[in-house]
Amino acid sequence: MRRKMHLAFNLSTTHNNGRWNLPGAWDDRTFPDVTLYEDAARLAERACLDMLFSGDGTGVPDTWGGSRDGAVKWGVFFPRVDMLPVMAAASRVTKHVGFGLTYSTTFMHPYYLARLMSSLDHMTNGRIAMNLVTSTRRTDAANFGFDQLMEHGARYERMEEFVSVCRQLWDATEADAMVWDRDSGVVGDPAKVHDVHHAGRFFKVEGPLNTPPAPQGRPVIVQAGGSPRGVQASARIADHVFGGDMPLEVQVKQRAALDAALRAEGRDPDSVGVLWQTPIAVRETDREARAYREMLRGSMSPEAVAVYLSYIDGYDFSTLPAHFTLGALREQIIATQASPNGLVTKLAYKFGADTTISREDFLEQALLTVTQYENTVAGTPKHVADVLEERFEATGCRGGFMIGQAIAVIADLQSIGDLLVPELQRRGLFRTEYSGRTLRETLAES
């Protein structure tokens, strides 16, 4: 039998960066109307998707012009809410699809998050995953009282200790510790509830949790790490990994690096899947799919693009002159200690570092990148399935895809369920029904 791929759907920016205003997105509703997320969950479950996922951030972008005004005006990564109550509400109208939430190990405390995830695992009957990030935004750090970001390696060390504490807390109460004997009135067995006594570099926690054991035992842990240190952390802590939207040959290399790191940790590489971020636009005909993708070109104003790019690359693009060379701009970015590997470097390689470009042309090129226009796989169900199948097989048939960035959330989920999933099912590459009870069991299906 062919191994089946897993499919998750990324809700993270379906209401930001201009996408909320596209046909088939929010219609007459506005964020954070919970009914839209309930509708999305119903559609995802109808399509037998593994999980709905939401990334998060707690700061308002303020790199562009040294102000948050542009982000607020154009809805660039603003507004946001903690998606936990939203996902909890969506779980009440479904039975099988899972829910992934994002939290920062750099800013949060493991006891709180272990307790929160255990509680939510109960509310969803075992369908919760937590995506852990180390946080790289100064606006986020400032909201938690940090004057500056923690050093890169230390953030990963803190993440690894964070997960170790969570696991100790989840394991401290044995699965059969709860008695609930109505005749005697006994609630729990004291012999099956244990202390933790953790004292490490970053955390000191006594334990145990005061919650009953979660349906999954331990909620599913997801982590995305592309750097060598990030891959090492994934091998140590993750049940499943989120992989970036990158050329196939790079994905193959990252999968190989993860496999080597897993073996070094004594883990079976086949037990850890990678969900590759993959934006798609699937329609009945190529022409319809290309027209649908074309909506992205009109989704953001040039100023909104500049606000977005400034936040992502950590460089204030409001200072761009009317004309400049790509090489000179790249040197300025490096001099400010912002990201040297962003759009400017990409364009310098593409067009040449000595190429002079206008501000308008630069932002037009940026639009294609920040909207994911140039990376969105657009086509018929057969074409999109061909692409997914090729990537799935090339990366070892372990894991699958995180479908995002969504162009228009409801329209995308409808087309995935009506067009793409039946084609994958016809090929024997995707389930026709759920067989597991929990998200962990669903993600383990092969």
Side-chain angles (χ1 to χ4, degrees), residues 260-321:
L262 287 164
R263 292 189 189 96
E265 295 295 323
R267 300 180 65 189
D268 179 5
D270 282 351
S271 69
V272 180
V274 178
L275 296 172
W276 301 102
Q277 173 85 350
T278 308
I280 67 167
V282 60
R283 288 293 184 271
E284 291 186 357
T285 68
D286 283 325
R287 182 178 180 180
E288 290 173 319
R290 289 194 296 269
Y292 184 60
R293 181 178 61 184
E294 203 66 20
M295 291 197 305
L296 291 172
R297 285 183 174 269
S299 64
M300 298 178 72
S301 70
E303 183 176 292
V305 170
V307 172
Y308 183 110
L309 192 63
S310 297
Y311 182 59
I312 295 298
D313 283 3
Y315 177 82
D316 183 6
F317 285 96
S318 72
T319 61
L320 286 176

Short mmCIF file of all heavy atoms in Angstrom, two decimals, residues 260-321:
data_model
loop_
_atom_site.label_atom_id
_atom_site.label_comp_id
_atom_site.label_asym_id
_atom_site.label_seq_id
_atom_site.Cartn_x
_atom_site.Cartn_y
_atom_site.Cartn_z
N ALA A 260 19.23 12.71 9.95
CA ALA A 260 20.52 12.48 10.62
C ALA A 260 20.45 12.93 12.07
O ALA A 260 20.97 12.25 12.97
CB ALA A 260 21.62 13.22 9.87
N ALA A 261 19.81 14.07 12.32
CA ALA A 261 19.69 14.57 13.68
C ALA A 261 18.81 13.66 14.54
O ALA A 261 19.10 13.44 15.72
CB ALA A 261 19.12 15.99 13.66
N LEU A 262 17.76 13.11 13.95
CA LEU A 262 16.90 12.18 14.69
C LEU A 262 17.66 10.91 15.07
O LEU A 262 17.54 10.42 16.19
CB LEU A 262 15.67 11.83 13.85
CG LEU A 262 14.61 12.93 13.70
CD1 LEU A 262 13.65 12.63 12.56
CD2 LEU A 262 13.84 13.10 15.00
N ARG A 263 18.42 10.40 14.14
CA ARG A 263 19.22 9.20 14.44
C ARG A 263 20.22 9.48 15.55
O ARG A 263 20.45 8.63 16.43
CB ARG A 263 19.93 8.71 13.18
CG ARG A 263 19.00 8.17 12.09
CD ARG A 263 19.79 7.50 10.98
NE ARG A 263 18.93 7.17 9.84
CZ ARG A 263 18.79 7.94 8.76
NH1 ARG A 263 19.48 9.09 8.67
NH2 ARG A 263 17.98 7.59 7.78
N ALA A 264 20.81 10.66 15.54
CA ALA A 264 21.77 11.02 16.58
C ALA A 264 21.11 11.09 17.95
O ALA A 264 21.76 10.87 18.98
CB ALA A 264 22.42 12.37 16.24
N GLU A 265 19.80 11.38 17.96
CA GLU A 265 19.03 11.42 19.22
C GLU A 265 18.44 10.06 19.57
O GLU A 265 17.70 9.94 20.55
CB GLU A 265 17.92 12.46 19.12
CG GLU A 265 18.39 13.89 18.98
CD GLU A 265 19.13 14.38 20.20
OE1 GLU A 265 18.73 14.00 21.33
OE2 GLU A 265 20.11 15.14 20.06
N GLY A 266 18.72 9.06 18.75
CA GLY A 266 18.19 7.72 19.00
C GLY A 266 16.74 7.57 18.63
O GLY A 266 16.04 6.68 19.15
N ARG A 267 16.25 8.41 17.71
CA ARG A 267 14.85 8.36 17.30
C ARG A 267 14.73 7.83 15.88
O ARG A 267 15.63 8.00 15.05
CB ARG A 267 14.22 9.76 17.39
CG ARG A 267 14.24 10.36 18.77
CD ARG A 267 13.60 11.75 18.78
NE ARG A 267 12.17 11.68 18.45
CZ ARG A 267 11.41 12.75 18.22
NH1 ARG A 267 11.96 13.96 18.25
NH2 ARG A 267 10.11 12.61 17.94
N ASP A 268 13.59 7.22 15.59
CA ASP A 268 13.32 6.67 14.27
C ASP A 268 12.85 7.78 13.34
O ASP A 268 11.81 8.39 13.59
CB ASP A 268 12.24 5.59 14.37
CG ASP A 268 11.88 4.97 13.02
OD1 ASP A 268 12.53 5.31 12.01
OD2 ASP A 268 10.94 4.15 12.99
N PRO A 269 13.59 8.09 12.27
CA PRO A 269 13.17 9.17 11.36
C PRO A 269 11.78 8.96 10.77
O PRO A 269 11.09 9.93 10.44
CB PRO A 269 14.24 9.15 10.27
CG PRO A 269 15.45 8.58 10.94
CD PRO A 269 14.90 7.55 11.89
N ASP A 270 11.34 7.70 10.62
CA ASP A 270 10.02 7.44 10.06
C ASP A 270 8.89 7.88 11.00
O ASP A 270 7.74 7.98 10.58
CB ASP A 270 9.86 5.96 9.75
CG ASP A 270 10.56 5.57 8.46
OD1 ASP A 270 11.00 6.49 7.73
OD2 ASP A 270 10.68 4.37 8.17
N SER A 271 9.23 8.13 12.27
CA SER A 271 8.19 8.49 13.23
C SER A 271 7.92 9.99 13.27
O SER A 271 6.98 10.43 13.95
CB SER A 271 8.60 8.02 14.64
OG SER A 271 9.71 8.77 15.12
N VAL A 272 8.72 10.78 12.57
CA VAL A 272 8.58 12.24 12.59
C VAL A 272 8.32 12.74 11.18
O VAL A 272 9.20 12.67 10.32
CB VAL A 272 9.83 12.92 13.17
CG1 VAL A 272 9.66 14.44 13.19
CG2 VAL A 272 10.12 12.40 14.58
N GLY A 273 7.12 13.21 10.94
CA GLY A 273 6.77 13.72 9.62
C GLY A 273 7.06 15.21 9.50
O GLY A 273 7.11 15.93 10.50
N VAL A 274 7.26 15.66 8.27
CA VAL A 274 7.41 17.08 7.98
C VAL A 274 6.19 17.53 7.18
O VAL A 274 5.83 16.92 6.18
CB VAL A 274 8.69 17.37 7.18
CG1 VAL A 274 8.77 18.86 6.85
CG2 VAL A 274 9.93 16.94 7.96
N LEU A 275 5.56 18.61 7.64
CA LEU A 275 4.47 19.24 6.90
C LEU A 275 5.06 20.47 6.21
O LEU A 275 5.38 21.47 6.86
CB LEU A 275 3.34 19.64 7.84
CG LEU A 275 2.62 18.49 8.57
CD1 LEU A 275 1.66 19.04 9.61
CD2 LEU A 275 1.90 17.60 7.59
N TRP A 276 5.21 20.41 4.89
CA TRP A 276 5.85 21.47 4.14
C TRP A 276 4.84 22.57 3.80
O TRP A 276 3.79 22.29 3.24
CB TRP A 276 6.45 20.92 2.84
CG TRP A 276 7.47 19.84 3.06
CD1 TRP A 276 7.28 18.50 2.90
CD2 TRP A 276 8.83 20.02 3.48
NE1 TRP A 276 8.45 17.82 3.19
CE2 TRP A 276 9.41 18.73 3.55
CE3 TRP A 276 9.61 21.13 3.79
CZ2 TRP A 276 10.74 18.54 3.93
CZ3 TRP A 276 10.93 20.94 4.17
CH2 TRP A 276 11.49 19.66 4.23
N GLN A 277 5.18 23.80 4.17
CA GLN A 277 4.33 24.93 3.83
C GLN A 277 4.20 25.03 2.31
O GLN A 277 5.19 25.15 1.59
CB GLN A 277 4.92 26.22 4.38
CG GLN A 277 4.21 27.48 3.96
CD GLN A 277 3.02 27.81 4.85
OE1 GLN A 277 2.61 27.02 5.66
NE2 GLN A 277 2.46 28.99 4.67
N THR A 278 2.96 24.98 1.79
CA THR A 278 2.73 24.96 0.35
C THR A 278 1.46 25.72 0.02
O THR A 278 0.35 25.24 0.22
CB THR A 278 2.59 23.50 -0.16
OG1 THR A 278 3.71 22.73 0.29
CG2 THR A 278 2.51 23.46 -1.67
N PRO A 279 1.59 26.95 -0.50
CA PRO A 279 0.39 27.69 -0.92
C PRO A 279 -0.14 27.14 -2.24
O PRO A 279 0.64 26.85 -3.16
CB PRO A 279 0.89 29.12 -1.08
CG PRO A 279 2.35 29.00 -1.31
CD PRO A 279 2.81 27.75 -0.64
N ILE A 280 -1.45 26.96 -2.34
CA ILE A 280 -2.04 26.42 -3.57
C ILE A 280 -3.25 27.23 -3.98
O ILE A 280 -3.89 27.90 -3.16
CB ILE A 280 -2.44 24.94 -3.40
CG1 ILE A 280 -3.60 24.80 -2.42
CG2 ILE A 280 -1.27 24.07 -2.99
CD1 ILE A 280 -4.26 23.44 -2.43
N ALA A 281 -3.55 27.17 -5.27
CA ALA A 281 -4.78 27.72 -5.83
C ALA A 281 -5.30 26.67 -6.79
O ALA A 281 -4.80 26.52 -7.91
CB ALA A 281 -4.50 29.04 -6.56
N VAL A 282 -6.29 25.90 -6.37
CA VAL A 282 -6.80 24.80 -7.18
C VAL A 282 -8.21 25.14 -7.67
O VAL A 282 -9.07 25.56 -6.91
CB VAL A 282 -6.79 23.47 -6.39
CG1 VAL A 282 -7.64 23.54 -5.14
CG2 VAL A 282 -7.21 22.31 -7.28
N ARG A 283 -8.40 24.98 -8.98
CA ARG A 283 -9.69 25.21 -9.61
C ARG A 283 -9.89 24.16 -10.70
O ARG A 283 -8.97 23.41 -11.04
CB ARG A 283 -9.76 26.62 -10.22
CG ARG A 283 -9.86 27.74 -9.18
CD ARG A 283 -11.20 27.66 -8.45
NE ARG A 283 -11.42 28.77 -7.52
CZ ARG A 283 -11.05 28.76 -6.25
NH1 ARG A 283 -10.37 27.72 -5.77
NH2 ARG A 283 -11.33 29.77 -5.45
N GLU A 284 -11.07 24.09 -11.27
CA GLU A 284 -11.37 23.05 -12.26
C GLU A 284 -10.53 23.19 -13.52
O GLU A 284 -10.20 22.20 -14.17
CB GLU A 284 -12.85 23.07 -12.60
CG GLU A 284 -13.74 22.61 -11.44
CD GLU A 284 -15.19 22.50 -11.85
OE1 GLU A 284 -15.51 22.84 -13.01
OE2 GLU A 284 -16.02 22.08 -11.01
N THR A 285 -10.16 24.43 -13.88
CA THR A 285 -9.34 24.64 -15.07
C THR A 285 -8.11 25.46 -14.71
O THR A 285 -8.11 26.20 -13.71
CB THR A 285 -10.11 25.38 -16.18
OG1 THR A 285 -10.36 26.73 -15.75
CG2 THR A 285 -11.43 24.69 -16.49
N ASP A 286 -7.07 25.36 -15.54
CA ASP A 286 -5.87 26.16 -15.32
C ASP A 286 -6.19 27.65 -15.37
O ASP A 286 -5.65 28.45 -14.60
CB ASP A 286 -4.80 25.82 -16.38
CG ASP A 286 -4.09 24.51 -16.09
OD1 ASP A 286 -3.87 24.21 -14.89
OD2 ASP A 286 -3.75 23.81 -17.05
N ARG A 287 -7.03 28.02 -16.32
CA ARG A 287 -7.38 29.43 -16.48
C ARG A 287 -8.04 29.98 -15.22
O ARG A 287 -7.72 31.08 -14.76
CB ARG A 287 -8.31 29.60 -17.68
CG ARG A 287 -8.70 31.04 -17.96
CD ARG A 287 -9.57 31.13 -19.20
NE ARG A 287 -9.95 32.51 -19.49
CZ ARG A 287 -10.70 32.87 -20.50
NH1 ARG A 287 -11.16 31.95 -21.36
NH2 ARG A 287 -11.01 34.14 -20.69
N GLU A 288 -8.97 29.22 -14.64
CA GLU A 288 -9.63 29.66 -13.42
C GLU A 288 -8.64 29.75 -12.25
O GLU A 288 -8.71 30.68 -11.44
CB GLU A 288 -10.76 28.69 -13.07
CG GLU A 288 -11.95 28.74 -14.01
CD GLU A 288 -12.96 27.64 -13.71
OE1 GLU A 288 -12.52 26.50 -13.44
OE2 GLU A 288 -14.17 27.91 -13.78
N ALA A 289 -7.73 28.79 -12.18
CA ALA A 289 -6.75 28.79 -11.10
C ALA A 289 -5.81 29.98 -11.19
O ALA A 289 -5.49 30.62 -10.18
CB ALA A 289 -5.95 27.48 -11.12
N ARG A 290 -5.36 30.28 -12.41
CA ARG A 290 -4.46 31.42 -12.59
C ARG A 290 -5.18 32.74 -12.29
O ARG A 290 -4.61 33.65 -11.69
CB ARG A 290 -3.89 31.43 -14.00
CG ARG A 290 -2.87 30.32 -14.26
CD ARG A 290 -2.10 30.58 -15.54
NE ARG A 290 -2.98 30.54 -16.71
CZ ARG A 290 -3.23 29.46 -17.43
NH1 ARG A 290 -2.67 28.29 -17.09
NH2 ARG A 290 -4.04 29.51 -18.48
N ALA A 291 -6.43 32.83 -12.67
CA ALA A 291 -7.22 34.03 -12.38
C ALA A 291 -7.42 34.19 -10.87
O ALA A 291 -7.39 35.31 -10.34
CB ALA A 291 -8.56 33.97 -13.10
N TYR A 292 -7.62 33.08 -10.19
CA TYR A 292 -7.79 33.11 -8.74
C TYR A 292 -6.50 33.58 -8.07
O TYR A 292 -6.52 34.46 -7.19
CB TYR A 292 -8.19 31.72 -8.25
CG TYR A 292 -8.47 31.64 -6.77
CD1 TYR A 292 -9.48 32.40 -6.19
CD2 TYR A 292 -7.73 30.79 -5.95
CE1 TYR A 292 -9.75 32.32 -4.84
CE2 TYR A 292 -8.00 30.70 -4.59
CZ TYR A 292 -9.00 31.47 -4.05
OH TYR A 292 -9.26 31.41 -2.70
N ARG A 293 -5.37 33.02 -8.48
CA ARG A 293 -4.08 33.45 -7.94
C ARG A 293 -3.82 34.92 -8.23
O ARG A 293 -3.21 35.62 -7.42
CB ARG A 293 -2.95 32.59 -8.50
CG ARG A 293 -1.56 32.97 -7.97
CD ARG A 293 -0.49 32.07 -8.52
NE ARG A 293 -0.41 32.15 -9.98
CZ ARG A 293 0.40 31.41 -10.72
NH1 ARG A 293 1.18 30.50 -10.14
NH2 ARG A 293 0.42 31.54 -12.04
N GLU A 294 -4.31 35.40 -9.36
CA GLU A 294 -4.05 36.78 -9.77
C GLU A 294 -4.65 37.79 -8.78
O GLU A 294 -4.20 38.94 -8.71
CB GLU A 294 -4.63 37.02 -11.18
CG GLU A 294 -4.00 38.16 -11.93
CD GLU A 294 -2.54 37.93 -12.28
OE1 GLU A 294 -2.10 36.75 -12.29
OE2 GLU A 294 -1.84 38.92 -12.55
N MET A 295 -5.64 37.36 -7.98
CA MET A 295 -6.20 38.26 -6.98
C MET A 295 -5.16 38.74 -5.99
O MET A 295 -5.28 39.83 -5.41
CB MET A 295 -7.34 37.57 -6.22
CG MET A 295 -8.59 37.30 -7.05
SD MET A 295 -10.05 36.95 -6.02
CE MET A 295 -9.48 35.58 -5.01
N LEU A 296 -4.10 37.95 -5.79
CA LEU A 296 -3.07 38.34 -4.85
C LEU A 296 -2.37 39.64 -5.26
O LEU A 296 -1.91 40.39 -4.41
CB LEU A 296 -2.03 37.22 -4.71
CG LEU A 296 -2.51 35.94 -4.02
CD1 LEU A 296 -1.46 34.85 -4.12
CD2 LEU A 296 -2.85 36.23 -2.56
N ARG A 297 -2.30 39.89 -6.56
CA ARG A 297 -1.62 41.11 -7.04
C ARG A 297 -2.34 42.37 -6.57
O ARG A 297 -1.70 43.43 -6.43
CB ARG A 297 -1.55 41.11 -8.56
CG ARG A 297 -0.49 40.17 -9.14
CD ARG A 297 -0.46 40.31 -10.65
NE ARG A 297 0.61 39.55 -11.27
CZ ARG A 297 1.84 40.02 -11.51
NH1 ARG A 297 2.15 41.25 -11.15
NH2 ARG A 297 2.74 39.27 -12.10
N GLY A 298 -3.62 42.27 -6.31
CA GLY A 298 -4.38 43.44 -5.87
C GLY A 298 -4.71 43.43 -4.40
O GLY A 298 -5.52 44.24 -3.94
N SER A 299 -4.08 42.54 -3.65
CA SER A 299 -4.46 42.38 -2.24
C SER A 299 -3.78 43.37 -1.31
O SER A 299 -4.27 43.61 -0.20
CB SER A 299 -4.15 40.95 -1.78
OG SER A 299 -2.76 40.68 -1.83
N MET A 300 -2.63 43.96 -1.72
CA MET A 300 -1.88 44.85 -0.83
C MET A 300 -1.43 46.10 -1.58
O MET A 300 -0.98 46.01 -2.72
CB MET A 300 -0.66 44.14 -0.25
CG MET A 300 -0.97 42.93 0.61
SD MET A 300 0.51 42.09 1.22
CE MET A 300 1.10 43.27 2.45
N SER A 301 -1.54 47.24 -0.93
CA SER A 301 -1.02 48.49 -1.50
C SER A 301 0.51 48.48 -1.41
O SER A 301 1.09 47.73 -0.62
CB SER A 301 -1.57 49.68 -0.71
OG SER A 301 -0.97 49.72 0.59
N PRO A 302 1.20 49.32 -2.21
CA PRO A 302 2.66 49.39 -2.09
C PRO A 302 3.12 49.72 -0.68
O PRO A 302 4.13 49.17 -0.21
CB PRO A 302 3.03 50.51 -3.09
CG PRO A 302 1.94 50.46 -4.12
CD PRO A 302 0.69 50.11 -3.35
N GLU A 303 2.41 50.61 0.01
CA GLU A 303 2.80 50.94 1.37
C GLU A 303 2.65 49.73 2.29
O GLU A 303 3.51 49.47 3.15
CB GLU A 303 1.97 52.10 1.91
CG GLU A 303 2.38 52.53 3.32
CD GLU A 303 1.62 53.74 3.80
OE1 GLU A 303 1.85 54.82 3.22
OE2 GLU A 303 0.79 53.60 4.72
N ALA A 304 1.57 48.98 2.13
CA ALA A 304 1.38 47.77 2.94
C ALA A 304 2.49 46.77 2.69
O ALA A 304 2.97 46.11 3.62
CB ALA A 304 0.01 47.15 2.65
N VAL A 305 2.90 46.64 1.43
CA VAL A 305 4.01 45.74 1.10
C VAL A 305 5.27 46.18 1.82
O VAL A 305 6.01 45.36 2.38
CB VAL A 305 4.25 45.71 -0.43
CG1 VAL A 305 5.54 44.98 -0.76
CG2 VAL A 305 3.07 45.04 -1.12
N ALA A 306 5.54 47.49 1.82
CA ALA A 306 6.74 48.01 2.49
C ALA A 306 6.68 47.77 4.00
O ALA A 306 7.69 47.45 4.63
CB ALA A 306 6.91 49.49 2.18
N VAL A 307 5.51 47.93 4.59
CA VAL A 307 5.33 47.67 6.02
C VAL A 307 5.62 46.21 6.33
O VAL A 307 6.35 45.88 7.28
CB VAL A 307 3.90 48.05 6.47
CG1 VAL A 307 3.67 47.61 7.91
CG2 VAL A 307 3.67 49.54 6.33
N TYR A 308 5.06 45.32 5.52
CA TYR A 308 5.26 43.87 5.68
C TYR A 308 6.74 43.53 5.56
O TYR A 308 7.31 42.85 6.43
CB TYR A 308 4.46 43.14 4.61
CG TYR A 308 4.48 41.63 4.68
CD1 TYR A 308 3.35 40.91 5.05
CD2 TYR A 308 5.62 40.91 4.34
CE1 TYR A 308 3.36 39.53 5.09
CE2 TYR A 308 5.64 39.53 4.38
CZ TYR A 308 4.51 38.85 4.76
OH TYR A 308 4.53 37.48 4.80
N LEU A 309 7.37 44.00 4.49
CA LEU A 309 8.76 43.65 4.24
C LEU A 309 9.68 44.20 5.32
O LEU A 309 10.64 43.54 5.74
CB LEU A 309 9.17 44.18 2.87
CG LEU A 309 10.50 43.68 2.30
CD1 LEU A 309 10.43 42.17 2.06
CD2 LEU A 309 10.81 44.39 0.99
N SER A 310 9.40 45.39 5.80
CA SER A 310 10.21 45.98 6.87
C SER A 310 10.17 45.11 8.12
O SER A 310 11.20 44.90 8.78
CB SER A 310 9.70 47.39 7.20
OG SER A 310 9.84 48.25 6.10
N TYR A 311 8.99 44.62 8.44
CA TYR A 311 8.83 43.78 9.63
C TYR A 311 9.56 42.44 9.47
O TYR A 311 10.27 42.00 10.38
CB TYR A 311 7.34 43.55 9.86
CG TYR A 311 7.00 42.73 11.08
CD1 TYR A 311 7.39 43.14 12.35
CD2 TYR A 311 6.25 41.57 10.96
CE1 TYR A 311 7.05 42.40 13.48
CE2 TYR A 311 5.89 40.83 12.08
CZ TYR A 311 6.31 41.25 13.34
OH TYR A 311 5.98 40.51 14.44
N ILE A 312 9.41 41.82 8.31
CA ILE A 312 9.99 40.50 8.09
C ILE A 312 11.51 40.57 8.03
O ILE A 312 12.23 39.74 8.60
CB ILE A 312 9.43 39.86 6.80
CG1 ILE A 312 7.94 39.59 6.95
CG2 ILE A 312 10.18 38.58 6.45
CD1 ILE A 312 7.58 38.62 8.05
N ASP A 313 12.04 41.58 7.33
CA ASP A 313 13.49 41.67 7.14
C ASP A 313 14.18 42.49 8.21
O ASP A 313 15.42 42.52 8.27
CB ASP A 313 13.80 42.29 5.77
CG ASP A 313 13.61 41.28 4.64
OD1 ASP A 313 13.19 40.14 4.92
OD2 ASP A 313 13.87 41.63 3.47
N GLY A 314 13.42 43.19 9.05
CA GLY A 314 14.03 43.96 10.12
C GLY A 314 14.76 45.21 9.66
O GLY A 314 15.69 45.68 10.31
N TYR A 315 14.32 45.75 8.52
CA TYR A 315 14.96 46.95 7.96
C TYR A 315 13.87 47.91 7.52
O TYR A 315 12.86 47.52 6.93
CB TYR A 315 15.83 46.56 6.76
CG TYR A 315 16.48 47.73 6.05
CD1 TYR A 315 17.65 48.29 6.54
CD2 TYR A 315 15.90 48.28 4.91
CE1 TYR A 315 18.24 49.38 5.90
CE2 TYR A 315 16.49 49.36 4.26
CZ TYR A 315 17.66 49.91 4.77
OH TYR A 315 18.25 50.98 4.13
N ASP A 316 14.07 49.21 7.79
CA ASP A 316 13.05 50.21 7.50
C ASP A 316 13.09 50.61 6.03
O ASP A 316 13.92 51.42 5.61
CB ASP A 316 13.27 51.43 8.39
CG ASP A 316 12.20 52.49 8.18
OD1 ASP A 316 11.24 52.23 7.43
OD2 ASP A 316 12.33 53.59 8.77
N PHE A 317 12.18 50.04 5.25
CA PHE A 317 12.15 50.32 3.81
C PHE A 317 11.45 51.64 3.49
O PHE A 317 11.35 52.01 2.31
CB PHE A 317 11.48 49.17 3.06
CG PHE A 317 12.36 47.96 2.94
CD1 PHE A 317 12.23 46.90 3.84
CD2 PHE A 317 13.32 47.87 1.96
CE1 PHE A 317 13.04 45.78 3.75
CE2 PHE A 317 14.14 46.75 1.86
CZ PHE A 317 14.00 45.70 2.75
N SER A 318 10.99 52.38 4.48
CA SER A 318 10.44 53.71 4.21
C SER A 318 11.53 54.68 3.79
O SER A 318 11.24 55.77 3.27
CB SER A 318 9.71 54.26 5.44
OG SER A 318 10.63 54.62 6.46
N THR A 319 12.79 54.30 4.03
CA THR A 319 13.92 55.17 3.69
C THR A 319 14.41 54.97 2.26
O THR A 319 15.40 55.58 1.86
CB THR A 319 15.08 54.90 4.65
OG1 THR A 319 15.51 53.52 4.51
CG2 THR A 319 14.67 55.13 6.10
N LEU A 320 13.74 54.13 1.48
CA LEU A 320 14.20 53.86 0.12
C LEU A 320 14.23 55.14 -0.72
O LEU A 320 13.24 55.88 -0.76
CB LEU A 320 13.29 52.84 -0.57
CG LEU A 320 13.38 51.38 -0.14
CD1 LEU A 320 12.33 50.56 -0.87
CD2 LEU A 320 14.77 50.83 -0.40
N PRO A 321 15.32 55.39 -1.44
CA PRO A 321 15.35 56.52 -2.38
C PRO A 321 14.55 56.16 -3.63
O PRO A 321 14.10 55.02 -3.81
CB PRO A 321 16.83 56.69 -2.69
CG PRO A 321 17.40 55.31 -2.48
CD PRO A 321 16.62 54.70 -1.36
#
